[in-house]
Amino acid sequence: MKLNIVGYYFREAVQSIWRNSWLSMASIGVVAVSLFILGSSLLLVLNVNSMVGALESRVEINVFIKDKTTPAQIKEMEEGLRSMPDISEVRFISKTQALEEMKEKFGDKKEILSGLEEKNPLPDTFRIKTASIEMVQPLAQQIEGLPQVDQVRYGQNVVEKLVAFGRWVRLAGLVAMILFAIAAVFLIATTTRLSVYARRREIGIMKYLGATNWFVRGPFLLEGMLLGFLGSVLAVMVIYFGYFSLVGTIKVSLLFMLTVTDPGLILPVLEGLVALGLIIGAAGSTISMRKFLMV
Amino acid sequence: MIHLYNVTKIYPNGVKALSDVTLSIRKGEFVFLVGPSGAGKTTLVRLIFREELPTRGQVIFNGKNVGRMRMVEVPYLRRRIGMVFQDFRLLPQKTVFENVAFALEVAGSGRRDIRKRVPVILNMVGLAGKAGMYPAQLSGGEQQRVCVARAIVNNPVLIIADEPTGNLDPETSWELMKLLMDINRRGTTVIMATHAWDIVNAMKKRVLALTGGRLIRDEEQGAYCYEA
Ligand SMILES: Nc1ncnc2c1ncn2[C@@H]1O[C@H](COP(=O)(O)OP(=O)(O)O)[C@@H](O)[C@H]1O
Ligand SMILES: [Mg+2]
């Protein structure tokens, strides 16, 4: 019996979509565009986050200490740094260690550095890792103010730009998506309103025959949700195939990598898009029916 | 079964369509509702059907105050009342069978139920051979019988026919009356609003006469009016 009604809804909904095929296609298209924008920016944010995460473990703050600082002062300073809550790791590199490291880097040409042992120009250094990448900049500023500190260095540009980029993508994607989603809701409302109008006679008769409001609404609600669903499926397919072919081509470039290829991370995004498509569709048809279906 | 107590209906535009109408209709009755055009017949019917709400007074159907009914109850009230209209109100893109089946679908009946019940009803109204035809292919009388079939397919306790013969010639009108009598004889209450004085006079049924929104006569085995 319930199955019967569902069958009826489907027949009516598909018929209406067919009858207004142009407007239906426009609705599907706009839903697809809005969800495509949302989906791609989500994936981008996902990738930026994973890159930030990867860098997080690598970005260090180098704190160069003034030349005349005594070992006791250094010791005291280290204690102070360790007690800061946002700092996860503190390493002390003495002048000598720093020189050794540099020699290693130079490899065969380390002779260039010979003779520097007597008058080592490198400073004592603290290498600090932070708990999160957002803390790098404020911590660096704070540490720069300490009396024994000569200079503070960190991967300023990369970190700042990446964080800012992630934030920007999130915002722009959200704004664009909201605008398109509103457009999609209203286009679906227009489409379903047309089919409500085309069937106003039938609706009147249904009410005379004792149809519940939900029975009358059913086909229109389903029509809207079907449009939303088709749009979201379109967006999901474009994103899915587009994304993985991009992953393939971009892998060679080291500058920007799409590192997130785990289906366990991507699938929830795509499922979310389909759910959102259904919600957009339902919202659109609900708007179109609101005044029409009062008895 | 139906009671109206001091019912007044004033439309939003200020027209007073019914004023202070009190009446009762028992189960199984056949009642004519007569009066000139604009007398308030359709309005009275709409109040029973909960298409309009009374401005004052109460409309009781089967012990329930129709005017106080919650929106979700209205469909179930309507499934117990079969409506027959002057203009038939059939769906042109559906066949005779589908038009009648629609009433069952709307009420949530299953497919098997529909396949069993619709032919029985079509047979009853004499349209067994026309199940696959479309309304436009039928005569007015046949279309009206489809409308009656659709009205009774859900086994309603009450049939309301609002000027059902208004678009029919005299002969088909009489066939329709026989059909309505038949339905009434099986125990269904029938209320018929009409101008057709010849039919009313010949049937010798209860007559409620409205004029200008007032109930001016209520008599068993009445006539349309004395002068006629
Ligand atoms: N929906 C409406 N809005 C305003 N006035 C109406 C409406 N329906 C009917 N009327 C008025 O109410 C009066 C009674 O109408 P109606 O009940 O249709 O009479 P009848 O069916 O006896 O011809 C008429 O004057 C008519 O113009
Ligand atoms: Mg009327």
Side-chain angles (χ1 to χ4, degrees):
Chain A
M1 182 176 133
K2 284 277 180 281
L3 219 73
N4 222 39
I5 291 180
V6 172
Y8 166 81
Y9 284 1
F10 256 99
R11 257 182 289 132
E12 301 294 314
V14 169
Q15 229 174 55
S16 289
I17 290 176
W18 208 245
R19 196 167 24 221
N20 309 317
S21 50
W22 283 107
L23 206 55
S24 298
M25 278 197 280
S27 305
I28 293 171
V30 174
V31 171
V33 168
S34 67
L35 293 181
F36 174 77
I37 290 173
L38 177 70
S40 354
S41 45
L42 272 180
L43 284 180
L44 205 54
V45 167
L46 220 60
N47 274 292
V48 168
N49 282 350
S50 104
M51 270 190 289
V52 168
L55 281 177
E56 211 150 17
S57 56
R58 276 191 276 161
V59 170
E60 293 173 320
I61 304 175
N62 284 301
V63 182
F64 301 127
I65 298 163
K66 282 181 184 155
D67 221 10
K68 305 220 173 66
T69 314
T70 65
Q73 280 174 316
I74 288 172
K75 192 79 200 149
E76 189 188 335
M77 195 179 162
E78 185 171 355
E79 302 285 286
L81 288 174
R82 281 191 198 284
S83 67
M84 288 186 182
D86 294 317
I87 290 176
S88 64
E89 199 185 310
V90 179
R91 240 171 352 122
F92 178 70
I93 314 284
S94 67
K95 296 165 80 86
T96 346
Q97 277 170 311
L99 192 61
E100 289 304 309
E101 264 182 26
M102 194 170 262
K103 278 182 180 170
E104 241 160 72
K105 265 190 207 155
F106 276 71
D108 328 334
K109 292 175 212 140
K110 64 179 169 203
E111 303 83 52
I112 301 172
L113 301 173
S114 65
L116 282 179
E117 284 91 348
E118 301 310 314
K119 208 174 177 302
N120 187 348
L122 296 175
D124 290 326
T125 308
F126 279 117
R127 294 223 175 113
I128 295 170
K129 286 187 178 173
T130 55
S132 87
I133 200 157
E134 273 95 1
M135 293 311 299
V136 169
Q137 206 202 350
L139 263 178
Q141 270 168 5
Q142 193 187 338
I143 292 168
E144 203 156 22
L146 297 177
Q148 293 85 8
V149 172
D150 184 28
Q151 213 178 24
V152 173
R153 285 262 175 79
Y154 62 97
Q156 271 106 331
N157 288 335
V158 186
V159 174
E160 271 167 37
K161 277 184 184 155
L162 212 53
V163 170
F165 181 63
R167 231 178 255 142
W168 187 85
V169 166
R170 223 172 299 179
L171 190 71
L174 200 68
V175 169
M177 181 270 165
I178 287 172
L179 291 181
F180 272 95
I182 289 171
V185 165
F186 279 98
L187 207 53
I188 286 179
T190 308
T191 313
T192 46
R193 191 174 295 134
L194 269 195
S195 33
V196 168
Y197 189 75
R199 294 175 42 201
R200 62 198 182 285
R201 227 179 116 80
E202 205 171 332
I203 291 173
I205 290 170
M206 280 171 143
K207 292 204 167 154
Y208 275 120
L209 297 177
T212 58
N213 274 341
W214 277 112
F215 185 86
V216 177
R217 282 187 195 128
F220 303 110
L221 197 62
L222 195 68
E223 181 184 347
M225 290 176 78
L226 220 51
L227 292 173
F229 177 74
L230 291 175
S232 67
V233 166
L234 199 64
V236 162
M237 287 206 307
V238 170
I239 288 175
Y240 186 82
F241 291 112
Y243 184 73
F244 279 103
S245 73
L246 263 184
V247 168
T249 50
I250 278 186
K251 244 186 190 141
V252 277
S253 143
L254 283 171
L255 193 65
F256 189 84
M257 286 192 297
L258 296 173
T259 49
V260 182
T261 50
D262 176 12
L265 280 172
I266 293 171
L267 278 183
V269 171
L270 302 184
E271 283 164 12
L273 292 185
V274 173
L276 214 58
L278 290 173
I279 290 171
I280 287 175
S285 45
T286 305
I287 288 175
S288 74
M289 290 183 301
R290 219 176 27 203
K291 33 187 181 181
F292 224 104
L293 293 186
M294 302 312 286
V295 173
Chain B
M1 185 169 76
I2 299 164
H3 301 280
L4 272 69
Y5 297 111
N6 308 104
V7 170
T8 295
K9 173 66 188 180
I10 301 168
Y11 282 109
N13 62 359
V15 174
K16 198 176 198 177
L18 288 176
S19 68
D20 204 25
V21 173
T22 298
L23 59 85
S24 290
I25 294 169
R26 289 180 305 278
K27 190 167 162 38
E29 269 193 296
F30 194 116
V31 181
F32 283 116
L33 198 56
V34 304
S37 189
K41 305 184 291 294
T42 301
T43 301
L44 198 154
V45 161
R46 282 193 185 141
L47 290 174
I48 298 171
F49 199 59
R50 182 50 161 83
E51 220 185 319
E52 294 286 350
L53 292 171
T55 311
R56 279 193 291 279
Q58 293 174 333
V59 179
I60 311 290
F61 179 81
N62 269 345
K64 278 221 140 195
N65 188 335
V66 174
R68 292 260 179 81
M69 208 171 253
R70 287 182 305 141
M71 285 302 289
V72 289
E73 295 179 86
V74 173
Y76 303 95
L77 165 78
R78 292 182 178 173
R79 287 176 202 178
R80 313 192 62 196
I81 303 175
M83 286 290 273
V84 178
F85 308 97
Q86 177 173 3
D87 56 358
F88 318 140
R89 302 199 191 171
L90 301 174
L91 289 165
Q93 76 278 20
K94 285 188 192 283
T95 64
V96 168
F97 184 97
E98 288 165 349
N99 264 288
V100 177
F102 195 48
L104 290 170
E105 278 177 2
V106 158
S109 295
R111 192 160 295 195
R112 190 178 303 162
D113 207 23
I114 290 172
R115 256 191 237 121
K116 222 164 43 194
R117 182 117 179 95
V118 175
V120 174
I121 297 297
L122 286 180
N123 198 39
M124 193 177 146
V125 301
L127 288 173
K130 314 227 161 168
M133 294 176 96
Y134 288 89
Q137 300 171 299
L138 302 177
S139 71
E142 287 167 334
Q143 287 186 48
Q144 191 57 292
R145 276 184 280 156
V146 177
C147 187
V148 171
R150 186 180 62 186
I152 62 175
V153 74
N154 267 325
N155 275 324
V157 292
L158 170 67
I159 293 282
I160 296 176
D162 193 1
E163 310 209 24
T165 60
N167 285 331
L168 305 181
D169 58 52
E171 201 178 323
T172 16
S173 294
W174 276 109
E175 280 170 26
L176 183 75
M177 288 317 297
K178 280 198 204 107
L179 184 56
L180 289 176
M181 285 298 300
D182 235 27
I183 293 163
N184 178 240
R185 232 174 274 127
R186 287 162 200 240
T188 310
T189 311
V190 176
I191 299 174
M192 175 168 158
T194 187
H195 290 308
W197 56 269
D198 52 333
I199 291 177
V200 177
N201 289 347
M203 297 274 288
K204 304 250 182 298
K205 294 288 184 188
R206 183 176 170 198
V207 173
L208 298 170
L210 285 171
T211 298
R214 292 184 179 282
L215 184 65
I216 53 163
R217 260 186 317 123
D218 175 0
E219 40 194 67
E220 304 291 329
Q221 301 189 10
Y224 187 85
C225 71
Y226 297 114
E227 307 90 79

Coordinates of all heavy atoms in Angstrom, one line a residue, chain B residues 9-18 34-46 52 162-163 193 195 210 213, ligand 1:
Chain B
K9 N -23.2 32.4 7.1 CA -21.9 32.4 6.4 C -21.8 33.8 5.7 O -22.7 34.1 4.8 CB -21.8 31.3 5.3 CG -20.6 31.4 4.4 CD -19.3 31.2 5.2 CE -18.1 31.5 4.3 NZ -16.8 31.4 5.0
I10 N -20.8 34.5 6.0 CA -20.5 35.8 5.4 C -19.2 35.7 4.7 O -18.2 35.4 5.3 CB -20.5 37.0 6.4 CG1 -21.9 37.1 7.1 CG2 -20.2 38.3 5.6 CD1 -21.9 38.0 8.3
Y11 N -19.1 35.8 3.4 CA -17.9 35.7 2.6 C -17.0 37.0 2.9 O -17.5 38.0 3.3 CB -18.1 35.6 1.1 CG -18.5 34.2 0.7 CD1 -19.8 33.9 0.3 CD2 -17.6 33.2 0.8 CE1 -20.2 32.6 0.0 CE2 -18.0 31.9 0.4 CZ -19.3 31.6 0.0 OH -19.7 30.3 -0.3
P12 N -15.7 36.8 2.7 CA -14.8 38.0 3.0 C -15.2 39.2 2.3 O -14.9 40.3 2.8 CB -13.4 37.4 2.5 CG -13.5 36.0 2.6 CD -15.0 35.6 2.3
N13 N -15.8 39.1 1.2 CA -16.2 40.4 0.5 C -17.5 41.0 1.0 O -18.1 41.9 0.5 CB -16.4 40.1 -1.0 CG -17.5 39.1 -1.3 OD1 -18.1 38.5 -0.4 ND2 -17.7 38.8 -2.6
G14 N -18.1 40.4 2.1 CA -19.2 41.0 2.8 C -20.6 40.3 2.4 O -21.6 40.7 2.9
V15 N -20.6 39.5 1.4 CA -21.8 38.8 0.9 C -22.3 37.9 2.0 O -21.5 37.0 2.4 CB -21.6 38.1 -0.4 CG1 -22.9 37.3 -0.8 CG2 -21.3 39.1 -1.5
K16 N -23.5 38.0 2.4 CA -24.1 37.1 3.4 C -24.8 36.0 2.6 O -25.9 36.2 2.1 CB -25.1 37.9 4.3 CG -25.4 37.2 5.6 CD -26.3 38.0 6.4 CE -26.4 37.6 7.9 NZ -27.2 38.5 8.7
A17 N -24.2 34.8 2.5 CA -24.7 33.8 1.6 C -25.7 32.9 2.4 O -26.6 32.3 1.8 CB -23.5 32.9 1.1
L18 N -25.5 32.8 3.7 CA -26.5 32.0 4.5 C -26.7 32.8 5.8 O -25.8 33.4 6.3 CB -25.9 30.7 4.9 CG -25.8 29.6 3.9 CD1 -25.1 28.3 4.4 CD2 -27.1 29.2 3.3
V34 N -33.3 23.3 -2.7 CA -33.8 24.0 -3.9 C -33.7 25.5 -3.6 O -33.6 25.9 -2.4 CB -35.2 23.6 -4.3 CG1 -35.3 22.2 -4.6 CG2 -36.3 24.0 -3.2
G35 N -33.9 26.3 -4.6 CA -33.8 27.7 -4.5 C -33.2 28.4 -5.7 O -32.5 27.7 -6.4
P36 N -33.5 29.6 -5.9 CA -33.0 30.3 -7.1 C -31.5 30.4 -7.0 O -30.9 30.2 -6.0 CB -33.7 31.7 -7.0 CG -34.1 31.9 -5.6 CD -34.3 30.5 -5.1
S37 N -30.9 30.8 -8.2 CA -29.5 31.0 -8.2 C -29.1 32.1 -7.2 O -29.7 33.1 -7.1 CB -29.1 31.4 -9.6 OG -27.8 31.4 -9.8
G38 N -28.0 31.8 -6.5 CA -27.5 32.7 -5.5 C -28.2 32.6 -4.2 O -28.0 33.4 -3.2
A39 N -29.0 31.6 -4.0 CA -29.8 31.4 -2.7 C -28.9 30.9 -1.6 O -29.2 31.0 -0.4 CB -30.9 30.4 -3.0
G40 N -27.7 30.3 -2.0 CA -26.8 29.8 -0.9 C -26.7 28.3 -0.9 O -26.1 27.7 0.0
K41 N -27.2 27.6 -1.9 CA -27.2 26.1 -1.9 C -25.7 25.6 -1.9 O -25.4 24.8 -1.1 CB -27.9 25.6 -3.2 CG -29.3 26.1 -3.4 CD -30.0 25.5 -4.6 CE -29.4 26.0 -5.9 NZ -29.7 27.4 -6.2
T42 N -24.9 26.1 -2.9 CA -23.5 25.7 -2.9 C -22.8 26.0 -1.7 O -22.0 25.2 -1.2 CB -22.9 26.3 -4.2 OG1 -23.6 26.0 -5.3 CG2 -21.4 25.9 -4.3
T43 N -23.1 27.2 -1.1 CA -22.4 27.6 0.1 C -22.7 26.6 1.2 O -21.8 26.1 2.0 CB -22.9 29.0 0.5 OG1 -22.5 29.9 -0.5 CG2 -22.2 29.4 1.8
L44 N -24.0 26.2 1.3 CA -24.4 25.2 2.4 C -23.6 23.9 2.2 O -23.1 23.4 3.2 CB -25.9 25.0 2.3 CG -26.5 24.4 3.5 CD1 -28.0 24.8 3.6 CD2 -26.4 22.9 3.6
V45 N -23.5 23.5 1.0 CA -22.8 22.2 0.7 C -21.3 22.3 1.1 O -20.7 21.4 1.6 CB -23.0 21.9 -0.8 CG1 -22.0 20.9 -1.3 CG2 -24.4 21.4 -1.1
R46 N -20.8 23.5 0.8 CA -19.3 23.7 1.0 C -19.0 23.7 2.5 O -18.0 23.3 3.0 CB -18.9 25.0 0.5 CG -18.6 25.0 -1.0 CD -17.9 26.3 -1.4 NE -17.7 26.3 -2.8 CZ -17.8 27.5 -3.5 NH1 -18.1 28.6 -2.9 NH2 -17.6 27.5 -4.8
E52 N -15.5 25.6 3.2 CA -15.6 26.9 3.8 C -16.0 26.7 5.3 O -16.5 25.7 5.7 CB -16.8 27.7 3.2 CG -16.6 28.1 1.7 CD -15.5 29.2 1.6 OE1 -15.2 29.8 2.6 OE2 -15.1 29.4 0.4
D162 N -24.2 18.7 -6.5 CA -24.6 20.1 -6.6 C -25.0 20.4 -8.1 O -24.1 20.4 -9.0 CB -23.3 21.0 -6.2 CG -23.7 22.4 -6.1 OD1 -24.9 22.8 -6.3 OD2 -22.8 23.3 -5.8
E163 N -26.3 20.5 -8.3 CA -26.9 20.7 -9.6 C -26.3 19.7 -10.6 O -25.8 20.1 -11.7 CB -26.6 22.1 -10.1 CG -27.0 23.1 -9.1 CD -27.5 24.5 -9.6 OE1 -27.9 24.5 -10.8 OE2 -27.4 25.5 -8.9
A193 N -28.6 19.5 -4.6 CA -29.0 20.9 -4.8 C -29.4 21.0 -6.3 O -28.7 20.5 -7.1 CB -27.8 21.8 -4.5
H195 N -32.1 23.2 -9.4 CA -33.1 24.1 -9.9 C -34.2 23.3 -10.6 O -35.2 23.9 -11.0 CB -32.6 24.9 -11.1 CG -31.6 26.0 -10.8 ND1 -31.8 26.9 -9.9 CD2 -30.4 26.2 -11.4 CE1 -30.7 27.7 -9.9 NE2 -29.9 27.3 -10.8
L210 N -34.2 27.3 0.0 CA -33.4 28.4 0.4 C -33.8 29.6 -0.5 O -34.0 29.5 -1.7 CB -31.9 28.2 0.3 CG -31.3 27.3 1.3 CD1 -29.8 27.0 0.8 CD2 -31.2 27.9 2.7
G213 N -30.4 33.1 1.2 CA -29.6 32.6 2.3 C -30.4 32.2 3.5 O -29.9 31.8 4.5
Ligands
LIG1 N1 -16.3 32.5 -2.8 C1 -17.2 33.4 -2.7 N2 -16.9 34.7 -2.3 C2 -17.8 35.6 -2.3 N3 -19.1 35.5 -2.5 C3 -19.5 34.3 -2.8 C4 -18.6 33.2 -3.0 N4 -19.3 32.1 -3.3 C5 -20.6 32.5 -3.4 N5 -20.7 33.8 -3.1 C6 -22.0 34.6 -3.1 O1 -22.8 34.0 -2.1 C7 -24.1 33.9 -2.5 C8 -24.6 32.5 -2.6 O2 -24.0 31.8 -3.5 P1 -24.1 30.2 -3.8 O3 -24.0 29.5 -2.5 O4 -23.2 29.8 -4.9 O5 -25.6 30.1 -4.3 P2 -26.3 29.0 -5.2 O6 -25.4 27.8 -5.2 O7 -27.6 28.7 -4.5 O8 -26.5 29.6 -6.6 C9 -24.2 34.6 -3.9 O9 -24.5 35.9 -3.8 C10 -22.7 34.5 -4.4 O10 -22.4 35.6 -5.2

